[in-house]
Amino acid sequence: MGDASRVSRNHSDTFRTAVEQSVAAGKAEVLSASPPVYLLHDVLSATEVADLRGVVARRRDLWGASHPLVCFQHDAFTGHPGLTHAFDWMRGRPGAGGRGCFAQAASRATYAHVPWSESLFVYRGQEALFDGISRRVQEMSGLHDTHAYSWQALTYEAGRDGGYADHTDCEHAADLLGRGERMATLLVYLTDDFDGGETEFPKLGLKVKPPVGSALLFYNFGPGWGGRACSAEAAHRSNRVTRGSKVVLQRWHSYQEQPFLAGRPILSQRGRRPFQPVVSCDYVSGVRTNVSCRWYNSDVPWTTA
Ligand SMILES: O=C(O)CCC(=O)C(=O)O
Ligand SMILES: [Fe+2]
């Protein structure tokens, strides 16, 4: 079976058509033509924002009961001879790099000193409220629910947040038609009473802080509409929050239908307790000057034994 037979609809075209209709109807505006970046107005009502924040708070409490396991994805950390004793090894060998997590004791001793932002996954079917928003997004953007990843509630809190460094959202293959490749990104803003925390596109000279209830939507590929290569121009970051907290719902959308339409089971992970989150530090997009750490509630494949 070739690639083409798995494509149930052309998602760069349905996206383009629907979002251009939203612009024509005054419901959205163009922030950048190439790569396409849009601001969608009034995606959520004030009541919906409050209700969604309630769901996020409840789920954060569930996962916040345990301190996180502190993990590193790159060998500058895991290969450091002075740190060998602290690791519970996941991939690679002590002192020889690879991906690794600190053992419980070292995680407990260090997690409070690591700056991080938070990504809480909410899977399809878990929360009726989120599923309702998915239908609205589909109407406004043409991005179908079956082509979407799970929702992620991103939280950046002043004092703890270190920002999230420059990156593109493309996956490793960086080919639009690749399975699970992140064609387009949606960010729906649940707070705006904070300082810093802008979503910035340095290559486009664009720095945005959308009002509560509105959304940013951008296409990660190029050149131009329907382009199949990852667009370096679509690089973006989240600036560090210096007051208050930024809460955003994020969802990626692929050209191909998603292979995982529901939640994935939490695999048993060496050294990880049930409902224990992970803080994973990474060279974002593989760039060594871009170190950012993120807290995850989800299954994190690289911690699998
Ligand atoms: O929160 C933001 O403004 C951007 C987040 C982001 O780019 C990401 O998580 O990939
Ligand atoms: Fe991103």
Side-chain angles (χ1 to χ4, degrees):
M1 216 194 278
D3 256 339
S5 60
R6 293 207 306 263
V7 180
S8 55
R9 49 181 84 73
N10 178 336
H11 254 67
S12 39
D13 281 355
T14 57
F15 171 35
R16 179 179 190 169
T17 306
V19 83
E20 282 177 354
Q21 277 169 6
S22 286
V23 172
K27 294 180 187 164
E29 64 186 271
V30 182
L31 300 185
S32 159
S34 180
V37 181
Y38 298 96
L39 179 66
L40 308 184
H41 306 300
D42 303 320
V43 177
L44 304 174
S45 70
T47 309
E48 286 170 330
V49 168
D51 291 348
L52 286 161
R53 290 193 62 187
V55 172
V56 172
R58 172 160 55 74
R59 288 193 171 264
R60 287 181 79 207
D61 281 351
L62 177 67
W63 287 88
S66 168
H67 70 80
L69 213 54
V70 177
C71 302
F72 301 88
Q73 287 209 57
H74 289 279
D75 57 10
F77 308 105
T78 57
H80 195 289
L83 292 174
T84 303
H85 68 280
F87 281 99
D88 191 3
W89 287 92
M90 301 298 164
R91 298 266 173 90
R93 281 178 295 114
R99 292 167 167 173
C101 295
F102 277 166
Q104 290 292 351
S107 291
R108 198 165 47 247
T110 53
Y111 79 92
H113 307 287
V114 179
W116 79 72
S117 58
E118 201 180 299
S119 166
L120 179 120
F121 279 79
V122 179
Y123 294 111
R124 199 176 273 95
Q126 277 184 323
E127 297 286 349
L129 212 50
F130 279 71
D131 292 338
I133 303 307
S134 300
R135 282 189 287 278
R136 173 133 6 116
V137 167
Q138 193 175 311
E139 282 160 28
M140 291 186 80
S141 71
L143 294 168
H144 200 275
D145 202 29
T146 57
H147 291 239
Y149 276 71
S150 307
W151 287 104
Q152 286 169 271
L154 306 180
T155 303
Y156 306 82
E157 285 184 336
R160 166 155 290 161
D161 180 34
Y164 200 75
D166 290 356
H167 65 282
T168 66
D169 286 342
C170 307
E171 278 282 9
H172 306 297
D175 173 3
L176 176 66
L177 301 190
R179 200 78 164 153
E181 188 54 74
R182 298 164 190 168
M183 175 185 80
T185 302
L186 175 76
L187 297 167
V188 190
Y189 294 78
L190 299 190
T191 60
D192 60 8
D193 184 21
F194 55 84
D195 293 334
E198 305 90 353
T199 304
E200 185 161 355
F201 297 78
K203 300 245 165 67
L204 305 179
L206 196 61
K207 186 168 167 174
V208 277
K209 191 174 167 187
V212 169
S214 66
L216 212 56
L217 187 50
F218 50 96
Y219 184 67
N220 293 308
F221 284 75
W225 270 110
R228 282 182 57 170
C230 185
S231 170
E233 305 292 301
H236 56 278
R237 65 168 172 260
S238 182
N239 289 323
R240 196 169 68 87
V241 169
T242 55
R243 181 192 62 84
S245 64
K246 169 183 173 184
V247 183
V248 194
L249 303 184
Q250 171 165 264
R251 207 172 72 166
W252 297 306
H253 304 84
S254 50
Y255 186 93
Q256 306 273 12
E257 233 170 39
Q258 279 291 322
F260 299 107
L261 288 174
R264 280 189 278 172
I266 302 287
L267 301 173
S268 87
Q269 291 172 356
R270 175 138 58 105
R272 188 176 177 187
R273 304 186 190 118
F275 290 102
Q276 184 171 28
V278 164
V279 165
S280 173
C281 295
D282 190 13
Y283 292 128
V284 177
S285 284
V287 179
R288 289 188 172 235
T289 48
N290 286 358
V291 178
S292 295
C293 305
R294 208 165 237 183
W295 175 110
Y296 295 97
N297 67 323
S298 66
D299 213 17
V300 184
W302 57 87
T303 58
T304 304

